[in-house]
Each structure stands twice: as C-alpha cells, then as structure tokens.
Amino acid sequence: MATQTASRNSTGTLVSKVSEALRRSILDGTFQPGDKLPSEAQLTQDHGVSRTVVREAVAALRSDGLVEPRQGAGVFVLDPIGFAFKRTHPSVDQERIYTSLEILEARTPLEIEAAGLAALRRSPAQEEEIFERHAAGIAGRHDGKAWSEADIGLHTAIARATNNPLFATFLEMQGKAIIPQTGQIVETDEGGEVAYRSLLIKEHERIIIAISSGDEQGARDAMRDHLKGSLERYRNLLRDERLRHMARLHAVKP
C-alpha cells in the first residue's frame, strides 16, 4: 500500500514538473498561439517520463485553456494572455470591473486614433520617449509600481506624439485609473503577474514598431487589438462571476 502511494505521489510530481515546463514555454513565447506541441513520443523523450505523465500534463494545460487537442492533428497552443490574466485576478470586485470597462470603452477609440496619428506625426524626440517608456516597462515587469508607471507613461507618450494636446490631456485627467489593473497589482509574481505583463509587453511592441515604421494602419490595428483584448478579458471576468453567482443561487436549497 505504501509503495502504491509513493508511486502515485511520484507520478503527480512528474506531471506537475512537465506541465509547468510546458506552461512556461507557452507563456514566454517559446510556443506561439497556433503552434503544434511536440508529439507525445517527443515530449516523453524530452522530459524523460512515461506517456501517462505526458498525457496528464497536457490534460492539465487543456484544463487551463492553454492548449486544444484536435483529433488526428495533434495538440495546439491557444492564446495564453487570457490564462495569465485570470491568474492575476483570482477574486472579482464588480464595482472596480464596471469602472475599468467604462474607462476602457472611452479610451479605445481615442487611443486607436492616437496611435495612427503618432505614426504620422511623431518627432524623433517623441519616438525616443515612446521607446524609453517601453524599455522601462520591460525593466519593471517584476515590480508592480514600476510596471504601472511605465505602462501609463507609454500610453501617454503615444498620445503626446499625436501633437494634439487634447489626446494626452484626456489620459492625464484619468490619472492611474487609465490602466485598469493598477489598483489590483501585487508586488510579487504570485498568480503569474510577470507572465501577464510579459504578454502585454509583446502587444506594446507591436504598437510601437508600427508607430516607429510610420505604419498608420498597423499602429491603429495593434492598438485596437491591445485595448479590445483588455475589454474582452474584463467582460469575460464579469460574465464568469455572474455565472458563478447563478450557480450558487441554484445550489441553495429552498
């Protein structure tokens, strides 16, 4: 009996190690959305474990929403940012989410236009400021306060690069509230904070590269995807909380 228990514990530990290794590879971009994971045989060889361990590890990733098995084709990577987002928001403050949604809805059309104008109008000094703010975000991704300041700074720098002061004025009037997660950030990597910020950094990179290249439409598209993605994530968070609340109500016996 003791031997069986030890065997189960050992298998569980191996499953955790393999699933965490694969999870890190997805979150750090080694495996991109749409990529096919290595075959079961290859993963077995790479990690020195049994096929059973690999299957359970992949099942854990599927449960997290990070991969999707497709019959006859293999296991494919899904967009990891929603997973990382949920890990950073284990509890829901509905009032805060409503406020975040309202601000994001107001920001989205304004910042899409700002990104396009910045691609056309930015000065060399303004472009340098955008890159500096982005670099500060990369350097500060392990620190909640530094990250939020760099994130706000980047969006404001893009607004200033339109050379229409009203864009920056709108963002400055909102203060720290323009970044929905500011009030929820913790100072450590608990819940995948750094993984989530690293994924946002990639979205930021797409925006600033388009601006730097003078690609007006590309800058608009990148900013739209960035902000629309945030809107969708917060709406999903609110929807999931509503569904949980409904389930709790149904579970209450009359």
Side-chain angles (χ1 to χ4, degrees):
M1 183 70 175
T3 302
Q4 290 180 346
T5 300
S7 177
R8 284 197 298 270
N9 290 340
S10 176
T11 299
T13 300
L14 289 173
V15 169
S16 296
K17 286 182 178 179
V18 174
S19 63
E20 186 56 35
L22 292 172
R23 187 177 288 110
R24 283 198 303 271
S25 294
I26 292 170
L27 292 175
D28 69 17
T30 301
F31 294 126
Q32 295 286 321
D35 285 352
K36 181 180 176 181
L37 285 185
S39 67
E40 188 177 282
Q42 186 62 53
L43 289 173
T44 297
Q45 181 178 332
D46 290 346
H47 295 277
V49 296
S50 69
R51 286 178 178 264
T52 298
V53 168
V54 168
R55 287 173 190 148
E56 290 186 21
V58 171
L61 296 181
R62 181 182 184 183
S63 178
D64 287 338
L66 285 171
V67 300
E68 176 185 62
R70 297 175 190 168
Q71 190 165 1
V75 179
F76 291 83
V77 176
L78 301 176
D79 185 355
I81 196 164
F83 166 77
F85 176 82
K86 287 180 180 178
R87 291 181 71 187
T88 66
H89 297 74
S91 60
V92 175
D93 182 334
Q94 289 197 23
E95 184 175 346
R96 177 172 285 160
I97 291 178
Y98 282 129
T99 301
S100 297
L101 284 169
E102 289 170 349
I103 294 172
L104 279 167
E105 285 174 350
R107 283 177 57 198
T108 297
L110 181 142
E111 290 207 64
I112 291 170
E113 180 67 13
L117 291 175
L120 297 176
R121 299 178 178 175
R122 83 263 178 228
S123 69
Q126 289 167 336
E127 185 173 330
E128 184 65 25
E129 182 186 10
I130 291 171
F131 275 100
E132 286 176 356
R133 296 294 186 177
H134 181 58
I138 295 172
R141 66 189 183 279
H142 293 276
D143 181 301
K145 183 179 178 182
W147 163 259
S148 63
E149 289 176 353
D151 196 3
I152 292 169
L154 174 62
H155 283 272
T156 305
I158 292 171
R160 281 197 287 267
T162 65
N163 288 299
N164 176 336
L166 294 181
F167 283 95
T169 297
F170 173 82
L171 295 185
E172 289 164 355
M173 285 173 62
Q174 307 307 315
K176 291 185 177 181
I178 71 165
I179 305 299
Q181 64 189 36
T182 298
Q184 302 171 33
I185 283 177
V186 297
E187 299 300 321
T188 67
D189 188 30
E190 294 213 14
E193 289 284 349
V194 174
Y196 179 55
R197 294 170 194 154
S198 296
L199 292 165
L200 293 181
I201 284 168
K202 291 179 182 179
E203 292 187 352
H204 288 166
E205 284 177 355
R206 185 180 162 212
I207 297 167
I208 65 172
I209 289 171
I211 291 173
S212 180
S213 301
D215 181 358
E216 178 187 4
Q217 190 58 50
R220 291 176 188 273
D221 291 344
M223 184 65 82
R224 179 183 296 107
D225 290 345
H226 177 53
L227 294 177
K228 292 282 189 179
S230 293
L231 271 169
E232 182 178 354
R233 288 188 286 274
Y234 277 96
R235 284 175 179 146
N236 288 343
L237 195 67
L238 190 59
R239 179 205 63 205
D240 291 346
E241 176 59 21
R242 286 169 176 158
L243 291 174
R244 282 193 293 270
H245 180 65
M246 290 170 62
R248 288 193 294 269
L249 290 177
H250 284 301
V252 175
K253 295 181 180 180

